[in-house]
Amino acid sequence: MEDLLNYIGENMEMIYFLVLAILLGVEVISNVPAILHTPLMSGANAIHGVVVVGAIIVMLQASPDNYLALSVGFLAVIVGTLNVIGGFVVTDRMLEMFKKKPKKS
């Protein structure tokens, strides 16, 4: 318990930053009009490719006998990849709605 309190005390700036980011994110997302919410979120999902890159870096830095780091890294690669693919699929579907359809004669 004492180690946890020391860790929190040493990283208080990061905790403030995290709380500020959460509050700012909630405020920004709550003020987005409903019509823009889906395209905004699909674009954000596509940007999450950074998670895939980070997971690959973690897996490369992990030692071969560190099964926890390798498992979490592998899971992050899979989930991040699904998130990126889902973001592109939703974005493509949204853009398809705005294409002009050819007129029937």
Side-chain angles (χ1 to χ4, degrees):
M1 185 67 176
E2 187 176 321
D3 291 336
L4 177 64
L5 293 175
N6 287 336
Y7 181 80
I8 291 173
E10 292 171 0
N11 296 303
M12 191 58 73
E13 287 182 9
M14 287 189 206
I15 294 171
Y16 288 144
F17 184 74
L18 178 65
V19 170
L20 180 64
I22 290 170
L23 293 174
L24 182 64
V26 167
E27 184 66 25
V28 168
I29 292 299
S30 65
N31 289 326
V32 171
I35 194 164
L36 293 178
H37 193 266
T38 301
L40 177 68
M41 292 310 296
S42 66
N45 285 344
I47 292 172
H48 281 107
V50 174
V51 172
V52 176
V53 173
I56 291 171
I57 291 172
V58 166
M59 289 175 58
L60 288 174
Q61 298 295 323
S63 63
D65 59 340
N66 189 351
Y67 297 115
L68 179 64
L70 292 173
S71 300
V72 170
F74 178 74
L75 185 65
V77 168
I78 297 299
V79 172
T81 303
L82 290 174
N83 200 6
V84 169
I85 292 169
F88 280 118
V89 167
V90 171
T91 303
D92 187 50
R93 185 179 294 169
M94 289 297 296
L95 292 175
E96 195 70 32
M97 290 172 50
F98 294 106
K99 286 185 179 176
K100 292 185 178 181
K101 296 180 177 146
K103 293 183 178 183
K104 296 179 182 178
S105 42

